[in-house]
Amino acid sequence: MSDNYLLKLYQKCLRYPFGRQLFSALFARKAPYFRTIKPLVTELKPNYCEVRFRKRKAVQNHIGTVHAIALCNGLEMAMGALAEASIPKHLRWIPKGMKVNYTAKADSDIRIIAETATDGWQAGDLDVVVKGFRDDGSVVIEGTITIYISAKQRKT
């Protein structure tokens, strides 16, 4: 088992009934706006995260599709979980920028993935590739979230 705190928590939660739901609720507490989409983390491993959420009234816009901010919340949650599950202990990260393209109508439940190269965890910028899919597999949103990585300050 990994020595990463988030991967340990994920694996521990998976041992319980509704473990993914439990883990997702715990992780969503890190940023309360994540809870607005009622996310479900379905897979988490170093450099990869998958999050799903249902199309429901609370995340729909005036034309009945999943609204842009809900999609971006899903992208950011997947990226955040990936970063926390992947970053070496001596480093820290912070989001620096987000570029997205809306490529199709988001008219179903949504599956989000975030992934990055395994060798990118060093000081400087790291681009995390993010994509959202509807039920038929079509990409509805895609882009990159750039995170800035730096060394943790030493405690004196």
Side-chain angles (χ1 to χ4, degrees), residues 118-145:
T118 58
D119 61 354
W121 297 101
Q122 51 200 346
D125 289 351
L126 175 63
D127 287 336
V128 179
V129 176
V130 288
K131 291 183 184 179
F133 303 86
R134 63 183 182 211
D135 286 341
D136 68 3
S138 298
V139 176
V140 297
I141 187 171
E142 62 185 353
T144 57
I145 300 175

Side-chain angles (χ1 to χ4, degrees), residues 11-156:
Q11 292 301 322
K12 185 176 183 177
C13 287
L14 290 182
R15 293 195 295 253
Y16 296 99
F18 304 103
R20 283 186 173 85
Q21 290 88 336
L22 174 62
F23 174 82
S24 301
L26 291 170
F27 188 76
R29 292 180 69 187
K30 288 225 175 231
Y33 57 89
F34 290 159
R35 289 187 281 183
T36 64
I37 61 171
K38 295 190 176 181
L40 178 65
V41 177
T42 53
E43 187 172 355
L44 179 62
K45 58 187 178 184
N47 305 300
Y48 184 86
C49 182
E50 180 180 280
V51 173
R52 293 175 184 260
F53 67 94
R54 299 187 60 76
K55 178 185 173 229
R56 56 191 175 77
K57 188 136 182 84
V59 296
Q60 289 181 42
N61 58 25
H62 63 288
I63 61 171
T65 60
V66 177
H67 65 76
I69 299 304
L71 293 169
C72 288
N73 280 347
L75 296 178
E76 193 171 350
M77 182 174 177
M79 174 281 302
L82 172 151
E84 284 296 302
S86 306
I87 195 162
K89 284 184 177 185
H90 69 286
L91 298 174
R92 62 186 177 178
W93 66 274
I94 188 166
K96 184 175 178 182
M98 182 176 197
K99 295 178 185 175
V100 297
N101 293 309
Y102 304 100
T103 55
K105 285 185 179 179
D107 56 5
S108 71
D109 295 346
I110 302 297
R111 179 176 65 93
I112 303 280
I113 61 163
E115 50 192 341
T116 195
T118 58
D119 61 354
W121 297 101
Q122 51 200 346
D125 289 351
L126 175 63
D127 287 336
V128 179
V129 176
V130 288
K131 291 183 184 179
F133 303 86
R134 63 183 182 211
D135 286 341
D136 68 3
S138 298
V139 176
V140 297
I141 187 171
E142 62 185 353
T144 57
I145 300 175
T146 302
I147 59 176
Y148 178 72
I149 301 171
S150 61
K152 286 182 181 174
Q153 292 182 356
R154 289 187 176 176
K155 295 180 183 178
T156 56

